[in-house]
Amino acid sequence: MIKVVKRDGTEEELIWEKIVVSVLKTGAPVNVARKIAYMTVGKIYMDGKDKVTAKELTGIILGFLRKENEEWYKNWIIYDRAVKKRETEKELQK
């Protein structure tokens, strides 16, 4: 079982369905999202890792996504920036 080390240091099990959902948000079709999820998990296994940081995981996904379609890759970046901006604003309001 592969663990994902999140930005706050907590760990959770890597669930490939979460990768599928994230890739779908870019506009990619289901078959491509599943393909990227399987390739991502496969790469981590092939690298012999049992833990991966969220940043590393994102990098792997983005690499595969960019190879598939540049627009989907850009959509991920735009969405990710918007989410991080919202999180920062929430922290500042506390």
Side-chain angles (χ1 to χ4, degrees), residues 29-86:
V30 173
N31 63 322
V32 173
R34 288 180 180 151
K35 175 182 162 185
I36 289 173
Y38 281 124
M39 291 188 319
T40 300
V41 173
K43 177 167 178 28
I44 295 166
Y45 275 119
M46 293 297 290
D47 289 346
K49 295 184 175 185
D50 61 349
K51 286 186 183 181
V52 63
T53 66
K55 188 174 183 174
E56 290 172 314
L57 180 61
T58 299
I60 295 167
I61 296 167
L62 285 175
F64 289 130
L65 192 59
R66 191 171 208 172
K67 287 178 185 175
E68 287 291 330
N69 184 297
E70 187 73 22
E71 184 179 337
W72 300 335
Y73 168 82
K74 289 177 183 175
N75 288 346
W76 176 297
I77 301 298
I78 291 166
Y79 178 78
D80 190 54
R81 286 182 185 158
V83 168
K84 287 178 182 170
K85 182 179 179 184
R86 260 194 319 262

Short mmCIF file of all heavy atoms in Angstrom, two decimals, residues 29-86:
data_model
loop_
_atom_site.label_atom_id
_atom_site.label_comp_id
_atom_site.label_asym_id
_atom_site.label_seq_id
_atom_site.Cartn_x
_atom_site.Cartn_y
_atom_site.Cartn_z
N PRO A 29 -11.47 13.06 -20.73
CA PRO A 29 -12.51 12.03 -20.65
C PRO A 29 -12.14 10.95 -19.65
O PRO A 29 -10.98 10.81 -19.25
CB PRO A 29 -12.57 11.47 -22.07
CG PRO A 29 -11.27 11.81 -22.70
CD PRO A 29 -10.77 13.04 -22.01
N VAL A 30 -13.14 10.17 -19.26
CA VAL A 30 -12.96 9.14 -18.23
C VAL A 30 -11.86 8.15 -18.59
O VAL A 30 -11.03 7.80 -17.74
CB VAL A 30 -14.29 8.39 -17.96
CG1 VAL A 30 -14.10 7.23 -17.02
CG2 VAL A 30 -15.34 9.33 -17.42
N ASN A 31 -11.83 7.69 -19.83
CA ASN A 31 -10.82 6.69 -20.20
C ASN A 31 -9.40 7.23 -20.05
O ASN A 31 -8.50 6.52 -19.61
CB ASN A 31 -11.05 6.15 -21.61
CG ASN A 31 -10.92 7.20 -22.69
OD1 ASN A 31 -11.34 8.35 -22.53
ND2 ASN A 31 -10.37 6.81 -23.82
N VAL A 32 -9.19 8.50 -20.37
CA VAL A 32 -7.86 9.11 -20.21
C VAL A 32 -7.55 9.31 -18.73
O VAL A 32 -6.42 9.05 -18.28
CB VAL A 32 -7.78 10.45 -20.97
CG1 VAL A 32 -6.47 11.17 -20.67
CG2 VAL A 32 -7.92 10.23 -22.47
N ALA A 33 -8.53 9.74 -17.95
CA ALA A 33 -8.33 9.94 -16.51
C ALA A 33 -7.93 8.62 -15.84
O ALA A 33 -7.01 8.59 -15.02
CB ALA A 33 -9.58 10.51 -15.87
N ARG A 34 -8.60 7.54 -16.22
CA ARG A 34 -8.26 6.22 -15.66
C ARG A 34 -6.86 5.79 -16.09
O ARG A 34 -6.09 5.26 -15.28
CB ARG A 34 -9.28 5.18 -16.09
CG ARG A 34 -10.61 5.34 -15.41
CD ARG A 34 -11.58 4.28 -15.86
NE ARG A 34 -12.85 4.46 -15.18
CZ ARG A 34 -14.01 4.10 -15.69
NH1 ARG A 34 -14.07 3.53 -16.88
NH2 ARG A 34 -15.12 4.29 -15.01
N LYS A 35 -6.54 6.02 -17.35
CA LYS A 35 -5.22 5.67 -17.87
C LYS A 35 -4.12 6.40 -17.10
O LYS A 35 -3.13 5.79 -16.68
CB LYS A 35 -5.15 6.03 -19.36
CG LYS A 35 -3.82 5.83 -20.01
CD LYS A 35 -3.90 6.27 -21.47
CE LYS A 35 -2.54 6.51 -22.06
NZ LYS A 35 -2.62 7.04 -23.44
N ILE A 36 -4.29 7.70 -16.89
CA ILE A 36 -3.30 8.49 -16.15
C ILE A 36 -3.19 8.00 -14.71
O ILE A 36 -2.09 7.90 -14.17
CB ILE A 36 -3.63 9.99 -16.23
CG1 ILE A 36 -3.37 10.50 -17.66
CG2 ILE A 36 -2.83 10.80 -15.21
CD1 ILE A 36 -3.81 11.91 -17.93
N ALA A 37 -4.31 7.68 -14.09
CA ALA A 37 -4.29 7.17 -12.71
C ALA A 37 -3.51 5.86 -12.62
O ALA A 37 -2.65 5.70 -11.74
CB ALA A 37 -5.71 7.00 -12.18
N TYR A 38 -3.79 4.93 -13.55
CA TYR A 38 -3.08 3.65 -13.54
C TYR A 38 -1.59 3.84 -13.80
O TYR A 38 -0.74 3.22 -13.16
CB TYR A 38 -3.66 2.69 -14.58
CG TYR A 38 -4.94 2.02 -14.13
CD1 TYR A 38 -6.10 2.11 -14.87
CD2 TYR A 38 -4.98 1.27 -12.95
CE1 TYR A 38 -7.27 1.50 -14.47
CE2 TYR A 38 -6.14 0.64 -12.54
CZ TYR A 38 -7.29 0.76 -13.30
OH TYR A 38 -8.43 0.14 -12.89
N MET A 39 -1.24 4.71 -14.75
CA MET A 39 0.17 4.96 -15.06
C MET A 39 0.88 5.60 -13.87
O MET A 39 2.04 5.29 -13.59
CB MET A 39 0.31 5.82 -16.31
CG MET A 39 -0.12 5.10 -17.58
SD MET A 39 0.22 5.96 -19.16
CE MET A 39 -0.17 7.64 -18.84
N THR A 40 0.19 6.49 -13.17
CA THR A 40 0.77 7.16 -12.01
C THR A 40 1.07 6.15 -10.91
O THR A 40 2.19 6.11 -10.37
CB THR A 40 -0.18 8.25 -11.49
OG1 THR A 40 -0.39 9.22 -12.54
CG2 THR A 40 0.37 8.94 -10.26
N VAL A 41 0.09 5.34 -10.56
CA VAL A 41 0.29 4.33 -9.52
C VAL A 41 1.37 3.34 -9.96
O VAL A 41 2.25 2.97 -9.16
CB VAL A 41 -1.04 3.61 -9.20
CG1 VAL A 41 -0.81 2.45 -8.24
CG2 VAL A 41 -2.03 4.59 -8.61
N GLY A 42 1.36 2.94 -11.22
CA GLY A 42 2.36 2.02 -11.74
C GLY A 42 3.77 2.59 -11.64
O GLY A 42 4.70 1.88 -11.26
N LYS A 43 3.92 3.86 -11.95
CA LYS A 43 5.23 4.50 -11.86
C LYS A 43 5.74 4.50 -10.43
O LYS A 43 6.92 4.22 -10.19
CB LYS A 43 5.19 5.92 -12.40
CG LYS A 43 6.52 6.65 -12.25
CD LYS A 43 6.61 7.91 -13.01
CE LYS A 43 7.92 8.65 -12.83
NZ LYS A 43 9.10 7.91 -12.54
N ILE A 44 4.87 4.80 -9.49
CA ILE A 44 5.28 4.82 -8.09
C ILE A 44 5.73 3.42 -7.65
O ILE A 44 6.76 3.26 -7.00
CB ILE A 44 4.15 5.37 -7.19
CG1 ILE A 44 3.88 6.84 -7.54
CG2 ILE A 44 4.52 5.24 -5.71
CD1 ILE A 44 2.59 7.38 -6.97
N TYR A 45 4.95 2.40 -8.05
CA TYR A 45 5.34 1.02 -7.72
C TYR A 45 6.67 0.65 -8.38
O TYR A 45 7.54 0.04 -7.76
CB TYR A 45 4.27 0.02 -8.18
CG TYR A 45 3.17 -0.19 -7.18
CD1 TYR A 45 1.85 0.10 -7.51
CD2 TYR A 45 3.42 -0.70 -5.91
CE1 TYR A 45 0.82 -0.08 -6.60
CE2 TYR A 45 2.40 -0.90 -5.00
CZ TYR A 45 1.10 -0.59 -5.35
OH TYR A 45 0.09 -0.79 -4.45
N MET A 46 6.84 1.03 -9.64
CA MET A 46 8.07 0.71 -10.38
C MET A 46 9.28 1.39 -9.74
O MET A 46 10.39 0.87 -9.80
CB MET A 46 7.95 1.11 -11.85
CG MET A 46 6.94 0.29 -12.63
SD MET A 46 7.35 -1.46 -12.72
CE MET A 46 8.76 -1.39 -13.79
N ASP A 47 9.06 2.57 -9.16
CA ASP A 47 10.14 3.28 -8.48
C ASP A 47 10.45 2.66 -7.12
O ASP A 47 11.40 3.07 -6.44
CB ASP A 47 9.79 4.77 -8.30
CG ASP A 47 9.81 5.54 -9.62
OD1 ASP A 47 10.34 5.02 -10.62
OD2 ASP A 47 9.29 6.67 -9.65
N GLY A 48 9.63 1.70 -6.70
CA GLY A 48 9.87 0.99 -5.45
C GLY A 48 9.54 1.78 -4.20
O GLY A 48 10.03 1.48 -3.12
N LYS A 49 8.69 2.78 -4.35
CA LYS A 49 8.35 3.64 -3.20
C LYS A 49 7.11 3.13 -2.49
O LYS A 49 6.19 2.62 -3.10
CB LYS A 49 8.11 5.07 -3.66
CG LYS A 49 9.34 5.75 -4.23
CD LYS A 49 9.03 7.18 -4.57
CE LYS A 49 10.26 7.92 -5.04
NZ LYS A 49 10.00 9.34 -5.25
N ASP A 50 7.10 3.30 -1.16
CA ASP A 50 5.89 3.01 -0.40
C ASP A 50 5.27 4.30 0.13
O ASP A 50 4.19 4.30 0.69
CB ASP A 50 6.14 2.02 0.72
CG ASP A 50 7.16 2.52 1.74
OD1 ASP A 50 7.83 3.53 1.47
OD2 ASP A 50 7.29 1.88 2.80
N LYS A 51 6.00 5.43 -0.08
CA LYS A 51 5.48 6.75 0.28
C LYS A 51 5.85 7.73 -0.83
O LYS A 51 6.92 7.62 -1.43
CB LYS A 51 6.10 7.27 1.58
CG LYS A 51 5.59 6.61 2.83
CD LYS A 51 6.15 7.29 4.05
CE LYS A 51 5.70 6.55 5.32
NZ LYS A 51 6.20 7.19 6.52
N VAL A 52 4.97 8.69 -1.04
CA VAL A 52 5.21 9.73 -2.02
C VAL A 52 4.61 11.02 -1.47
O VAL A 52 3.56 10.99 -0.82
CB VAL A 52 4.61 9.35 -3.39
CG1 VAL A 52 3.11 9.21 -3.34
CG2 VAL A 52 5.02 10.31 -4.48
N THR A 53 5.30 12.13 -1.67
CA THR A 53 4.73 13.40 -1.20
C THR A 53 3.64 13.85 -2.17
O THR A 53 3.63 13.45 -3.35
CB THR A 53 5.80 14.51 -1.11
OG1 THR A 53 6.27 14.82 -2.42
CG2 THR A 53 6.95 14.10 -0.20
N ALA A 54 2.76 14.69 -1.68
CA ALA A 54 1.70 15.23 -2.53
C ALA A 54 2.31 15.98 -3.71
O ALA A 54 1.80 15.90 -4.84
CB ALA A 54 0.79 16.15 -1.72
N LYS A 55 3.41 16.66 -3.48
CA LYS A 55 4.08 17.41 -4.54
C LYS A 55 4.63 16.46 -5.62
O LYS A 55 4.50 16.72 -6.81
CB LYS A 55 5.19 18.28 -3.95
CG LYS A 55 5.83 19.22 -4.93
CD LYS A 55 6.82 20.14 -4.24
CE LYS A 55 7.39 21.14 -5.23
NZ LYS A 55 8.23 22.13 -4.56
N GLU A 56 5.26 15.37 -5.18
CA GLU A 56 5.77 14.37 -6.12
C GLU A 56 4.64 13.75 -6.92
O GLU A 56 4.75 13.58 -8.14
CB GLU A 56 6.53 13.26 -5.39
CG GLU A 56 7.84 13.67 -4.79
CD GLU A 56 8.43 12.58 -3.92
OE1 GLU A 56 7.69 11.97 -3.10
OE2 GLU A 56 9.63 12.33 -4.05
N LEU A 57 3.56 13.42 -6.23
CA LEU A 57 2.40 12.82 -6.88
C LEU A 57 1.84 13.76 -7.95
O LEU A 57 1.56 13.34 -9.08
CB LEU A 57 1.33 12.48 -5.84
CG LEU A 57 0.05 11.83 -6.35
CD1 LEU A 57 0.34 10.51 -7.04
CD2 LEU A 57 -0.93 11.64 -5.20
N THR A 58 1.69 15.02 -7.60
CA THR A 58 1.19 16.00 -8.55
C THR A 58 2.11 16.10 -9.76
O THR A 58 1.64 16.16 -10.90
CB THR A 58 1.04 17.38 -7.87
OG1 THR A 58 0.12 17.26 -6.79
CG2 THR A 58 0.55 18.43 -8.85
N GLY A 59 3.41 16.09 -9.52
CA GLY A 59 4.37 16.16 -10.62
C GLY A 59 4.24 15.00 -11.59
O GLY A 59 4.30 15.18 -12.81
N ILE A 60 4.06 13.80 -11.05
CA ILE A 60 3.89 12.62 -11.89
C ILE A 60 2.62 12.74 -12.74
O ILE A 60 2.63 12.52 -13.95
CB ILE A 60 3.86 11.33 -11.04
CG1 ILE A 60 5.19 11.12 -10.34
CG2 ILE A 60 3.50 10.12 -11.89
CD1 ILE A 60 5.16 10.07 -9.24
N ILE A 61 1.53 13.10 -12.07
CA ILE A 61 0.25 13.25 -12.77
C ILE A 61 0.36 14.31 -13.86
O ILE A 61 -0.08 14.09 -15.00
CB ILE A 61 -0.88 13.60 -11.79
CG1 ILE A 61 -1.10 12.46 -10.80
CG2 ILE A 61 -2.17 13.92 -12.55
CD1 ILE A 61 -1.96 12.83 -9.60
N LEU A 62 0.95 15.44 -13.52
CA LEU A 62 1.08 16.52 -14.50
C LEU A 62 1.93 16.12 -15.70
O LEU A 62 1.65 16.51 -16.83
CB LEU A 62 1.65 17.78 -13.85
CG LEU A 62 0.68 18.56 -12.97
CD1 LEU A 62 1.41 19.71 -12.28
CD2 LEU A 62 -0.48 19.09 -13.78
N GLY A 63 2.95 15.32 -15.46
CA GLY A 63 3.78 14.84 -16.56
C GLY A 63 2.98 14.02 -17.55
O GLY A 63 3.06 14.22 -18.77
N PHE A 64 2.19 13.09 -17.02
CA PHE A 64 1.34 12.27 -17.89
C PHE A 64 0.25 13.10 -18.56
O PHE A 64 -0.06 12.92 -19.74
CB PHE A 64 0.71 11.11 -17.12
CG PHE A 64 1.68 10.03 -16.72
CD1 PHE A 64 1.73 9.58 -15.42
CD2 PHE A 64 2.54 9.47 -17.65
CE1 PHE A 64 2.62 8.58 -15.04
CE2 PHE A 64 3.43 8.46 -17.29
CZ PHE A 64 3.48 8.01 -15.98
N LEU A 65 -0.32 14.02 -17.81
CA LEU A 65 -1.39 14.86 -18.33
C LEU A 65 -0.89 15.73 -19.48
O LEU A 65 -1.55 15.87 -20.51
CB LEU A 65 -1.97 15.72 -17.20
CG LEU A 65 -3.27 16.46 -17.47
CD1 LEU A 65 -4.39 15.50 -17.83
CD2 LEU A 65 -3.65 17.28 -16.24
N ARG A 66 0.28 16.29 -19.32
CA ARG A 66 0.85 17.16 -20.35
C ARG A 66 1.12 16.39 -21.64
O ARG A 66 0.94 16.91 -22.74
CB ARG A 66 2.13 17.82 -19.84
CG ARG A 66 2.61 18.92 -20.74
CD ARG A 66 3.74 19.69 -20.12
NE ARG A 66 3.73 21.03 -20.63
CZ ARG A 66 4.48 22.01 -20.20
NH1 ARG A 66 5.32 21.80 -19.21
NH2 ARG A 66 4.41 23.20 -20.72
N LYS A 67 1.56 15.14 -21.50
CA LYS A 67 1.79 14.30 -22.68
C LYS A 67 0.49 14.01 -23.43
O LYS A 67 0.49 13.87 -24.64
CB LYS A 67 2.46 12.98 -22.29
CG LYS A 67 3.91 13.15 -21.90
CD LYS A 67 4.52 11.83 -21.49
CE LYS A 67 5.93 12.02 -20.99
NZ LYS A 67 6.51 10.78 -20.46
N GLU A 68 -0.60 13.91 -22.69
CA GLU A 68 -1.90 13.62 -23.30
C GLU A 68 -2.48 14.84 -24.00
O GLU A 68 -2.98 14.75 -25.11
CB GLU A 68 -2.89 13.12 -22.24
CG GLU A 68 -2.63 11.73 -21.76
CD GLU A 68 -2.92 10.66 -22.80
OE1 GLU A 68 -3.80 10.85 -23.67
OE2 GLU A 68 -2.24 9.62 -22.74
N ASN A 69 -2.45 15.99 -23.29
CA ASN A 69 -3.13 17.17 -23.85
C ASN A 69 -2.68 18.42 -23.10
O ASN A 69 -2.89 18.53 -21.89
CB ASN A 69 -4.65 16.98 -23.72
CG ASN A 69 -5.45 18.09 -24.36
OD1 ASN A 69 -5.38 19.24 -23.93
ND2 ASN A 69 -6.23 17.73 -25.36
N GLU A 70 -2.11 19.35 -23.81
CA GLU A 70 -1.58 20.58 -23.21
C GLU A 70 -2.70 21.40 -22.54
O GLU A 70 -2.50 22.01 -21.49
CB GLU A 70 -0.87 21.42 -24.27
CG GLU A 70 -0.14 22.61 -23.73
CD GLU A 70 1.14 22.29 -22.97
OE1 GLU A 70 1.73 21.21 -23.17
OE2 GLU A 70 1.55 23.13 -22.15
N GLU A 71 -3.88 21.43 -23.13
CA GLU A 71 -4.99 22.21 -22.57
C GLU A 71 -5.42 21.65 -21.22
O GLU A 71 -5.67 22.41 -20.28
CB GLU A 71 -6.18 22.24 -23.53
CG GLU A 71 -7.32 23.11 -23.03
CD GLU A 71 -8.49 23.16 -23.99
OE1 GLU A 71 -8.30 22.91 -25.19
OE2 GLU A 71 -9.60 23.45 -23.53
N TRP A 72 -5.50 20.34 -21.10
CA TRP A 72 -5.88 19.72 -19.82
C TRP A 72 -4.83 20.04 -18.77
O TRP A 72 -5.15 20.30 -17.62
CB TRP A 72 -6.05 18.22 -19.96
CG TRP A 72 -7.10 17.80 -20.94
CD1 TRP A 72 -8.19 18.53 -21.35
CD2 TRP A 72 -7.17 16.57 -21.65
NE1 TRP A 72 -8.92 17.82 -22.27
CE2 TRP A 72 -8.31 16.61 -22.47
CE3 TRP A 72 -6.37 15.43 -21.68
CZ2 TRP A 72 -8.68 15.55 -23.29
CZ3 TRP A 72 -6.74 14.38 -22.51
CH2 TRP A 72 -7.88 14.44 -23.29
N TYR A 73 -3.57 20.00 -19.18
CA TYR A 73 -2.47 20.34 -18.28
C TYR A 73 -2.64 21.78 -17.76
O TYR A 73 -2.57 22.03 -16.55
CB TYR A 73 -1.14 20.20 -19.01
CG TYR A 73 0.05 20.78 -18.29
CD1 TYR A 73 0.69 20.07 -17.28
CD2 TYR A 73 0.54 22.04 -18.63
CE1 TYR A 73 1.79 20.60 -16.61
CE2 TYR A 73 1.64 22.57 -17.97
CZ TYR A 73 2.25 21.86 -16.97
OH TYR A 73 3.33 22.39 -16.31
N LYS A 74 -2.91 22.70 -18.64
CA LYS A 74 -3.10 24.11 -18.26
C LYS A 74 -4.31 24.27 -17.35
O LYS A 74 -4.29 25.06 -16.40
CB LYS A 74 -3.23 24.99 -19.49
CG LYS A 74 -1.93 25.14 -20.24
CD LYS A 74 -2.11 25.96 -21.50
CE LYS A 74 -0.81 26.05 -22.29
NZ LYS A 74 -0.98 26.73 -23.57
N ASN A 75 -5.38 23.53 -17.65
CA ASN A 75 -6.58 23.60 -16.81
C ASN A 75 -6.28 23.16 -15.38
O ASN A 75 -6.80 23.72 -14.43
CB ASN A 75 -7.70 22.73 -17.40
CG ASN A 75 -8.31 23.33 -18.65
OD1 ASN A 75 -8.10 24.50 -18.98
ND2 ASN A 75 -9.03 22.50 -19.39
N TRP A 76 -5.44 22.12 -15.23
CA TRP A 76 -5.04 21.66 -13.89
C TRP A 76 -4.34 22.79 -13.14
O TRP A 76 -4.64 23.08 -11.99
CB TRP A 76 -4.12 20.45 -13.99
CG TRP A 76 -3.60 19.96 -12.66
CD1 TRP A 76 -2.79 20.64 -11.79
CD2 TRP A 76 -3.86 18.71 -12.04
NE1 TRP A 76 -2.51 19.86 -10.69
CE2 TRP A 76 -3.16 18.68 -10.81
CE3 TRP A 76 -4.59 17.59 -12.42
CZ2 TRP A 76 -3.18 17.58 -9.97
CZ3 TRP A 76 -4.61 16.50 -11.56
CH2 TRP A 76 -3.92 16.50 -10.35
N ILE A 77 -3.39 23.44 -13.82
CA ILE A 77 -2.61 24.51 -13.21
C ILE A 77 -3.54 25.65 -12.76
O ILE A 77 -3.43 26.16 -11.64
CB ILE A 77 -1.53 25.04 -14.18
CG1 ILE A 77 -0.57 23.94 -14.60
CG2 ILE A 77 -0.80 26.24 -13.58
CD1 ILE A 77 0.24 23.33 -13.49
N ILE A 78 -4.46 26.04 -13.63
CA ILE A 78 -5.39 27.13 -13.31
C ILE A 78 -6.25 26.76 -12.11
O ILE A 78 -6.41 27.55 -11.17
CB ILE A 78 -6.28 27.46 -14.54
CG1 ILE A 78 -5.42 28.10 -15.63
CG2 ILE A 78 -7.44 28.35 -14.16
CD1 ILE A 78 -6.10 28.16 -17.00
N TYR A 79 -6.80 25.55 -12.10
CA TYR A 79 -7.65 25.09 -11.00
C TYR A 79 -6.85 25.03 -9.70
O TYR A 79 -7.30 25.49 -8.65
CB TYR A 79 -8.24 23.71 -11.33
CG TYR A 79 -9.09 23.15 -10.23
CD1 TYR A 79 -10.39 23.61 -10.03
CD2 TYR A 79 -8.60 22.16 -9.37
CE1 TYR A 79 -11.17 23.10 -9.01
CE2 TYR A 79 -9.38 21.66 -8.35
CZ TYR A 79 -10.65 22.13 -8.17
OH TYR A 79 -11.42 21.63 -7.17
N ASP A 80 -5.63 24.49 -9.77
CA ASP A 80 -4.79 24.36 -8.58
C ASP A 80 -4.47 25.72 -7.98
O ASP A 80 -4.53 25.89 -6.76
CB ASP A 80 -3.50 23.63 -8.96
CG ASP A 80 -2.68 23.22 -7.75
OD1 ASP A 80 -3.23 22.55 -6.86
OD2 ASP A 80 -1.49 23.58 -7.70
N ARG A 81 -4.17 26.69 -8.81
CA ARG A 81 -3.88 28.04 -8.30
C ARG A 81 -5.10 28.65 -7.63
O ARG A 81 -4.98 29.31 -6.60
CB ARG A 81 -3.40 28.94 -9.44
CG ARG A 81 -2.00 28.64 -9.88
CD ARG A 81 -1.54 29.58 -10.96
NE ARG A 81 -0.22 29.19 -11.43
CZ ARG A 81 0.27 29.52 -12.61
NH1 ARG A 81 -0.44 30.25 -13.44
NH2 ARG A 81 1.48 29.13 -12.96
N ALA A 82 -6.27 28.45 -8.21
CA ALA A 82 -7.50 29.00 -7.64
C ALA A 82 -7.78 28.39 -6.27
O ALA A 82 -8.15 29.10 -5.32
CB ALA A 82 -8.68 28.77 -8.58
N VAL A 83 -7.58 27.08 -6.14
CA VAL A 83 -7.81 26.40 -4.86
C VAL A 83 -6.82 26.90 -3.81
O VAL A 83 -7.21 27.21 -2.68
CB VAL A 83 -7.70 24.87 -5.03
CG1 VAL A 83 -7.65 24.17 -3.68
CG2 VAL A 83 -8.86 24.34 -5.86
N LYS A 84 -5.55 27.01 -4.18
CA LYS A 84 -4.55 27.48 -3.22
C LYS A 84 -4.81 28.92 -2.80
O LYS A 84 -4.61 29.27 -1.64
CB LYS A 84 -3.15 27.33 -3.82
CG LYS A 84 -2.69 25.90 -3.87
CD LYS A 84 -1.33 25.77 -4.50
CE LYS A 84 -0.93 24.30 -4.58
NZ LYS A 84 0.25 24.11 -5.39
N LYS A 85 -5.27 29.74 -3.72
CA LYS A 85 -5.58 31.14 -3.40
C LYS A 85 -6.72 31.20 -2.39
O LYS A 85 -6.67 31.94 -1.41
CB LYS A 85 -5.96 31.90 -4.67
CG LYS A 85 -6.25 33.36 -4.43
CD LYS A 85 -6.59 34.08 -5.71
CE LYS A 85 -6.91 35.54 -5.43
NZ LYS A 85 -7.33 36.25 -6.64
N ARG A 86 -7.76 30.37 -2.60
CA ARG A 86 -8.89 30.32 -1.66
C ARG A 86 -8.43 29.87 -0.28
O ARG A 86 -8.85 30.42 0.73
CB ARG A 86 -9.97 29.37 -2.18
CG ARG A 86 -11.12 30.04 -2.85
CD ARG A 86 -12.32 29.12 -3.03
NE ARG A 86 -11.98 27.78 -3.45
CZ ARG A 86 -12.02 27.33 -4.71
NH1 ARG A 86 -12.38 28.14 -5.68
NH2 ARG A 86 -11.72 26.09 -5.00
#
